[in-house]
Every structure is written in C-alpha cells, then in structure tokens.
Amino acid sequence: VSGRKNPLFFGLALRLKQARSQAGLKRLPLAQKAGLAMATGRDVELGARVPTVATVLRLASALQVSAAWLAYGVGAADDQQTLQIGGTMGERLASLRADRALSRAALGRTCGLSARAIAKIEAGGQSGVDVIESLAMALGVSPAWLAYGAEPRVLSQIRRGRPPAQSPADAR
C-alpha cells in the first residue's frame, strides 16, 4: 500500500499507557505526580488529545521515561539523556530556519502553519507534538531533537521488509 506513513506521535497514547502500567500508576496518581488535570492524562492516553511538548515532558518526568521516546518513539524509554541540548526548542527552530534561508511564511506554507504561529514557537511558546513533528519533517530533522534536544539530530530512514542478506563473514 502506498501513501504517507503515520506520524511518529501516533504511538504516543500506547507508549503512555505502557509506561504508566510499568510504573504501577493509575491515571489519577500519574496526573497528580505530573501536575496535570486527570482529564489531560486520560485524553492523551485515549488518543483524544494531542498534547503539547511541555505536557509530554511533564508526563515523561513523572514516569521517569525519556520525553523523546514518549512523544515520538525515538530512542529507548529509559534513556535519560540531558534535555535541551543546543538551546530551547524555539532557538533550535529559528536556527534551522535561518540555516535553510527560509522565511517564517515559506516554512509555514510547507507545514500548513501561519508565520505568526512559527514566530510564537521561536519566541518560546509551546506547541503540540504534531506541529513540532510537521516542522521537523519539513526541516529534515528529528522531531525529538527539535522538541527536546534529544539525539540523534537526524533520524535514519527505517527500511521495511527483509533485512539484507549477510555473508558468513558478516555473521561472526
């Protein structure tokens, strides 16, 4: 079947439920630990709400899992690398946009956003994990790197199908 592959954040609800179960927490204690309304955690877990980058960071911190893994499935769940490498999300976005000589309007047209929405993110405003993934894909970087500063900066393409055959020398 041809077409566009699912965005990386689509698995967030399942990853959240898995991490919550492994932590032995029910929804209310998780929400309290993360400093969120119970409805927020419930809606994210049920896939009824796309959370902001900050909400995912709060949930990940409460669950002691990687925000990059929780939001986008990038890296390992227990990878607790230092976040915010290379400045803030807004600084990373502004720097990438400048490196590619794109105006806010041009980038916005690529992602279906307004120049004003991009300016707000660059100024330190929050945005949903879906919007950040859209921006990251348009700029050719990992959404986990753009949102949280998590490495790798660029995701390698995942090839589907059979792995390449190995020669006996490679198998050693």
Side-chain angles (χ1 to χ4, degrees), residues 5 10 27 29 38 56-57 69 72 80 91 113-114 116 120 122 149 151 156 159:
K5 68 179 185 178
F10 270 18
R27 288 183 182 145
M38 183 182 165
V56 171
L57 187 58
W69 173 80
Y72 302 108
Q80 294 293 317
E91 291 167 342
L113 298 172
S114 69
R116 185 174 179 193
K120 287 174 104 173
E122 288 180 352
E151 294 294 335
S156 60
R159 195 185 127 174

Side-chain angles (χ1 to χ4, degrees), residues 4-75:
R4 196 171 154 196
K5 68 179 185 178
N6 286 340
L8 296 173
F9 75 89
F10 270 18
L12 188 151
L14 182 61
R15 289 187 294 272
L16 176 58
K17 185 175 183 176
Q18 175 188 357
R20 185 179 57 76
S21 293
Q22 287 178 347
L25 291 172
K26 294 206 179 283
R27 288 183 182 145
L28 181 58
L30 172 59
Q32 291 171 335
K33 192 172 179 182
L36 300 169
M38 183 182 165
T40 302
R42 180 196 64 222
D43 290 351
V44 171
E45 189 174 309
L46 294 175
R49 177 185 294 191
V50 176
T52 65
V53 169
T55 298
V56 171
L57 187 58
R58 292 169 83 172
L59 287 166
S61 179
L63 292 166
Q64 297 182 328
V65 298
S66 162
W69 173 80
L70 186 58
Y72 302 108
V74 174

